[in-house]
Amino acid sequence: MNNNNEIIDISNLDSILFKSFSFFHNFCITCGLCSSTCPASGIEEFDPRKIVRLVSLGLEDEAVQSKWPWVCTMCGKCENLCPMGVDITGIIRKIRGLREKNKIPGILQNGLEAAIKTGNNLSLPKEDFIYILEDVANEIKEEKGFEDFEVPIDKKGANILLTIHNKLVNTHTEDLKHWFKIFYAANESWTISSENWEGTNWAYFTGDDDSMKILCGRIIEQMKRLEIKSLLWPE
Amino acid sequence: MLNYIETGRIKIDKTILNNNRVAYHDPCNYGRKSEKLFGYGYYKEPRLVLDYCVPNWVDLYPSKDNQFCCGGGGGSLTTGYNKERIYYGRKKIEQFKASKADLIVTPCHSCHGQFNNIKKEYKIEYLKIKYLWEIVADAIISKN
């Protein structure tokens, strides 16, 4: 993170400075198991132990403005090995959540805002969504053994509600077919909601708990609206 | 899905992938993350599904809670840090090559996207990537 050898002021080091955490992380024994197992170690001098040190030392701004939390995939291999039980992926996600919204890298924040505003990351209107689903259903009908396949939309009282990853109604419509065919073959009673069908939740990635709650809550709302007890959320 | 197969609600033709060597990749969210958050990692169930559908499948090494991440998780397919993401994937490529598999199965959209993306970069285009539910759907014996 400090490629230009700029000097960081360490005169006020104090773990309490990292106020955004409700507990300290200065029990890390700096053994380095996390760094050794992390496939992202070495990317721009990142390794998980350094992040834990930043937090332990109270260097909140340095951690938040760094690229490091975003090259980590929060896969949890590090904390799985940690002998002290440091919640490393929790730390990473928390740091991500402290980044100013307009400085979140890539398309994450745009997608998330679209989802909050329109119900899906693509801002895809309801009629277009239904058109795509029915188009794919018609393709399945052409396959032997699936001639009377129908895609059930907003079916009240179905057993299972299926959420949809936005890429499946965008560039990967072929991949919609697999679950459709399994349900059909199993004679399952299932449905897709015409509203708030988005299965991805990019607030999980940006560390934005409020938005994450809104998106999860909307799926529960659909289950209530359609009187459905089980959810298949492959995302 | 496993329940559909075990109770006979769907019938499977296990010969579909006769000529493939299949390897299974555990997504972090099915394994380590699920274990941490909910107290149970889904390692056994996808492997049972594979037993029903695939005559010749192997585990990557290491696997389960020691599995290497695909490198595309945590939103990293969408941050724009692509060079870093591709570099991250080098460990998976080593695992894939060591397994001698020609088809990788995984039940995760991020892993699926990352593998398809990096296989070009590492010049292993022969490798096919499928969802776990895709190999089940492909193997269904139609009821009509």
Side-chain angles (χ1 to χ4, degrees):
Chain A
M1 60 174 285
N2 190 15
N3 288 333
N4 306 322
N5 297 321
E6 11 168 324
I7 296 162
I8 295 173
D9 178 13
I10 54 168
S11 56
N12 292 316
L13 286 187
D14 180 352
S15 56
I16 294 170
L17 284 176
F18 212 131
K19 294 183 186 68
S20 306
F21 288 96
S22 56
F23 51 91
F24 309 142
H25 282 87
N26 52 6
F27 54 84
C28 163
I29 56 170
T30 66
C31 67
L33 280 174
C34 55
S35 304
S36 299
T37 197
C38 173
S41 281
I43 298 177
E44 309 235 348
E45 297 172 41
F46 165 77
D47 74 56
R49 185 171 61 165
K50 289 182 185 167
I51 285 275
V52 177
R53 292 314 294 157
L54 283 179
V55 172
S56 305
L57 295 169
L59 293 167
E60 178 162 326
D61 277 351
E62 284 76 5
V64 173
Q65 298 314 323
S66 159
K67 185 175 166 184
W68 288 351
W70 305 91
V71 296
C72 160
T73 62
M74 304 189 283
C75 81
K77 210 160 157 47
C78 50
E79 64 192 16
N80 192 45
L81 280 179
C82 177
M84 298 303 288
V86 177
D87 180 11
I88 304 173
T89 58
I91 291 174
I92 296 276
R93 188 169 176 276
K94 184 76 189 177
I95 297 170
R96 286 188 180 196
L98 295 170
R99 181 72 81 94
E100 301 92 311
K101 299 275 181 272
N102 59 357
K103 288 188 181 161
I104 290 173
I107 57 170
L108 278 173
Q109 188 60 22
N110 286 348
L112 176 56
E113 280 171 18
I116 294 288
K117 204 171 148 198
T118 70
N120 67 83
N121 291 17
L122 306 169
S123 302
L124 188 71
K126 185 171 168 174
E127 54 273 25
D128 294 3
F129 177 67
I130 293 171
Y131 178 84
I132 293 164
L133 293 181
E134 284 177 347
D135 198 39
V136 168
N138 285 332
E139 283 179 29
I140 293 177
K141 275 184 182 183
E142 286 169 20
E143 292 185 38
K144 195 176 163 290
F146 294 90
E147 287 83 355
D148 55 352
F149 175 83
E150 300 281 348
V151 58
I153 298 168
D154 291 335
K155 183 177 154 190
K156 267 202 168 179
N159 282 334
I160 296 177
L161 177 71
L162 175 70
T163 59
I164 302 290
H165 189 302
N166 60 73
K167 74 176 174 184
L168 302 189
V169 285
N170 188 9
T171 46
H172 292 74
T173 52
E174 267 311 293
D175 288 330
L176 272 175
K177 294 179 181 174
H178 317 309
W179 269 115
F180 288 11
K181 287 162 118 175
I182 292 169
F183 283 149
Y184 175 81
N187 285 322
E188 185 59 86
S189 162
W190 64 289
T191 194
I192 295 170
S193 172
S194 62
E195 290 164 22
N196 294 323
W197 44 264
E198 178 68 74
T200 72
N201 190 328
W202 284 1
Y204 180 52
F205 302 147
T206 62
D208 178 351
D209 287 338
D210 292 337
S211 298
M212 186 157 161
K213 220 169 168 178
I214 292 170
L215 295 175
C216 292
R218 285 180 183 167
I219 291 174
I220 307 295
E221 271 169 35
Q222 299 314 311
M223 291 179 74
K224 284 186 180 158
R225 177 174 74 87
L226 299 169
E227 296 160 20
I228 297 171
K229 289 203 178 79
S230 304
L231 175 66
L232 178 61
W233 197 355
E235 294 73 37
Chain B
M1 194 157 65
L2 183 59
N3 179 270
Y4 291 157
I5 302 171
E6 283 180 336
T7 59
R9 278 178 76 176
I10 56 176
K11 300 266 184 295
I12 295 293
D13 174 1
K14 202 180 171 176
T15 64
I16 299 273
L17 296 172
N18 261 350
N19 297 322
N20 290 91
R21 184 171 166 90
V22 175
Y24 178 69
H25 164 76
D26 300 272
C28 310
N29 281 312
Y30 276 55
R32 285 187 294 267
K33 300 306 269 303
S34 178
E35 210 167 341
K36 177 185 172 189
L37 294 170
F38 306 112
Y40 185 81
Y42 290 87
Y43 300 118
K44 189 179 72 183
E45 292 78 0
R47 288 173 170 79
L48 287 169
V49 170
L50 288 170
D51 282 342
Y52 280 110
C53 303
V54 183
N56 181 20
W57 76 269
V58 294
D59 253 318
L60 295 170
Y61 182 80
S63 72
K64 301 178 184 169
D65 63 328
N66 288 317
Q67 186 69 261
F68 278 108
C69 168
C70 65
S76 66
L77 281 161
T78 48
T79 55
Y81 296 140
N82 295 326
K83 196 172 58 127
E84 294 81 353
R85 175 176 53 75
I86 291 161
Y87 173 74
Y88 193 125
R90 75 202 179 284
K91 294 273 182 187
K92 291 314 297 183
I93 302 297
E94 285 168 19
Q95 276 184 297
F96 291 167
K97 284 183 176 166
S99 75
K100 298 192 167 50
D102 56 17
L103 170 60
I104 305 294
V105 172
T106 187
C108 171
H109 286 290
S110 293
C111 304
H112 187 276
Q114 163 78 344
F115 294 155
N116 268 327
N117 187 285
I118 63 172
K119 68 183 192 183
K120 285 184 216 105
E121 304 290 337
Y122 288 96
K123 300 191 172 36
I124 47 164
E125 282 100 335
Y126 66 86
L127 200 64
K128 285 196 194 111
I129 317 293
K130 285 186 185 263
Y131 294 105
L132 185 64
W133 43 84
E134 183 174 1
I135 59 158
V136 174
D138 288 350
I140 286 174
I141 301 171
S142 100
K143 57 186 176 183
N144 306 335

